[in-house]
Amino acid sequence: MLKAIQIVGSSSGFVSYRFRKPQPNSAFSLISRKSIITTSETLLLPASQLHSHKSCSRDFRMSSTHSKSSSSSSLAIQSTILQGNIRKINFCQFCGGPNKHEIPDGEEKVRAICTRCGKITYENPKMVVGCLIEHDKKILMCRRKIHPSYGLWTLPAGYMEIGESAAEGAIRETWEEANAEVEVQSLFAQLDIPLIGQTYMIFLAKLKNPHFSPGPESSECQLFELDDIPYDSLAFSSMLVTLNLYIEDIKVGRPKFHYGVINKRPGTSPSEIHAYTLDFHMQS
């Protein structure tokens, strides 16, 4: 059974959704929602700002402060890495030297800093683009022939390339994975997954013709009736959320744009789609 976990980083204007797994021959169901009005965030301060004000003597205070600051900073950095907030990068991408992980002067986040050339390696989120393709009241899906989530079902989607728009990337990925020519209708959902540094942009699309077949990364392509979507064999939480949103929209008469944040639980594999909470900022 799908379970919601603690909501992280929610803010005013967002709505928390809890989902339950569908019964056979039924759509994925929304069972509750509630407004979130609090904000939760963790600040990681430089060692210079982590100090103690309680000490009996000046000498002891200076010694204690330095020891506690270094220890606290080191533990905070280790915790940040273990929680998945940053990826540990062992070697410099510029010169190949060993990296250390510290908070650079003037910054607030832990970075990988080369101990040889001093350059900082910055990592930025990746954009995943794809299409939700409706044809004759059915949805086109692909069974993955590559890892991760080998053998599981997904909407055609993949990483956006340099030099293309999000819509162009979604069209290209659909061709590569399903050999299908599509026409993009509108943006349907933007789903941010902070833990793994990804943003999904899923477009509603139509087939230009009824021809499709598995591409190199797919073992099978199929049009599914809404009641027959293989929820137990979906590859990613983003696909589960996207399909559920689409079905909920169909029930009320028309699709609309959705923005949401998927807060995955640290340490879970991509196929563990139950390990998340979902915060929505509702837009129509």
Side-chain angles (χ1 to χ4, degrees), residues 25 53 58-59 61 69 78 84 123 128 164 167 175 179-180 186 232 234 236 245 251 268:
N25 300 319
H53 296 286
R58 183 174 183 276
D59 291 341
R61 180 173 65 250
S69 297
Q78 292 179 22
E123 286 197 294
V128 180
E164 65 184 6
W175 173 255
N179 288 314
S186 63
D232 289 333
L234 292 181
F236 308 110
L245 290 173
K251 288 179 181 178
T268 57

Side-chain angles (χ1 to χ4, degrees), residues 211-272:
H211 304 301
F212 56 86
S213 61
E217 298 181 357
S218 305
S219 60
E220 184 180 353
C221 294
Q222 184 177 330
L223 286 168
F224 285 94
E225 299 276 0
L226 297 186
D227 289 340
D228 295 330
I229 291 173
Y231 287 105
D232 289 333
S233 302
L234 292 181
F236 308 110
S237 59
S238 55
M239 299 297 109
L240 176 64
V241 171
T242 298
L243 289 165
N244 179 66
L245 290 173
Y246 179 76
I247 290 174
E248 290 294 325
D249 283 358
I250 293 300
K251 288 179 181 178
V252 298
R254 66 180 182 87
K256 58 186 177 182
F257 172 71
H258 301 272
Y259 170 71
V261 178
I262 298 176
N263 288 316
K264 297 178 70 69
R265 185 167 60 210
T268 57
S269 68
S271 61
E272 289 185 273

Side-chain angles (χ1 to χ4, degrees), residues 140-282:
L140 181 62
M141 301 187 69
C142 304
R143 188 191 291 271
R144 290 176 61 82
K145 198 171 69 173
I146 58 173
H147 292 285
S149 301
Y150 182 95
L152 300 180
W153 290 92
T154 182
L155 300 174
Y159 290 120
M160 183 176 165
E161 299 281 1
I162 297 294
E164 65 184 6
S165 68
E168 289 170 342
I171 292 171
R172 173 186 53 76
E173 286 290 341
T174 301
W175 173 255
E176 291 178 357
E177 297 187 6
N179 288 314
E181 293 186 84
V182 297
E183 179 180 351
V184 165
Q185 305 290 304
S186 63
L187 180 61
F188 176 66
Q190 178 183 330
L191 302 172
D192 296 336
I193 312 180
L195 180 67
I196 58 176
Q198 291 183 358
T199 289
Y200 278 74
M201 295 186 71
I202 304 297
F203 293 85
L204 292 176
K206 299 286 187 181
L207 288 174
K208 289 185 176 180
N209 56 67
H211 304 301
F212 56 86
S213 61
E217 298 181 357
S218 305
S219 60
E220 184 180 353
C221 294
Q222 184 177 330
L223 286 168
F224 285 94
E225 299 276 0
L226 297 186
D227 289 340
D228 295 330
I229 291 173
Y231 287 105
D232 289 333
S233 302
L234 292 181
F236 308 110
S237 59
S238 55
M239 299 297 109
L240 176 64
V241 171
T242 298
L243 289 165
N244 179 66
L245 290 173
Y246 179 76
I247 290 174
E248 290 294 325
D249 283 358
I250 293 300
K251 288 179 181 178
V252 298
R254 66 180 182 87
K256 58 186 177 182
F257 172 71
H258 301 272
Y259 170 71
V261 178
I262 298 176
N263 288 316
K264 297 178 70 69
R265 185 167 60 210
T268 57
S269 68
S271 61
E272 289 185 273
I273 59 177
H274 61 284
Y276 73 89
T277 56
L278 185 63
D279 300 337
F280 267 114
H281 183 219
M282 302 304 295

Side-chain angles (χ1 to χ4, degrees), residues 3-125:
K3 297 181 179 179
I5 59 174
Q6 181 181 6
I7 293 180
V8 179
S10 58
S11 61
S12 179
F14 281 68
V15 175
S16 169
Y17 280 80
R18 294 170 179 259
F19 296 108
R20 65 175 170 81
K21 193 172 179 181
Q23 300 300 317
N25 300 319
S26 67
F28 201 73
S29 301
L30 172 70
I31 59 174
S32 68
R33 79 174 187 177
K34 61 179 179 179
S35 296
I36 302 299
I37 57 175
T38 59
T39 299
S40 173
E41 60 178 319
T42 300
L43 297 180
L44 184 62
L45 300 177
S48 61
Q49 298 182 32
L50 296 172
H51 54 83
S52 171
H53 296 286
K54 296 180 180 179
S55 180
C56 295
S57 70
R58 183 174 183 276
D59 291 341
F60 177 78
R61 180 173 65 250
M62 292 178 64
S63 173
S64 175
T65 297
H66 178 75
S67 175
K68 289 182 178 180
S69 297
S70 299
S71 176
S72 297
S73 179
S74 176
L75 288 174
I77 290 171
Q78 292 179 22
S79 176
T80 300
I81 294 173
L82 289 174
Q83 290 174 8
N85 296 329
I86 65 168
R87 183 169 65 92
K88 189 172 183 180
I89 306 172
N90 293 320
F91 300 99
C92 176
Q93 65 180 10
F94 302 100
C95 73
N99 284 330
K100 60 182 179 179
H101 291 81
E102 295 181 357
I103 301 175
D105 292 339
E107 298 197 25
E108 297 179 349
K109 293 187 177 182
V110 177
R111 309 289 187 186
I113 307 171
C114 182
T115 58
R116 182 186 297 168
C117 71
K119 291 185 177 179
I120 301 173
T121 299
Y122 291 94
E123 286 197 294
N124 301 106

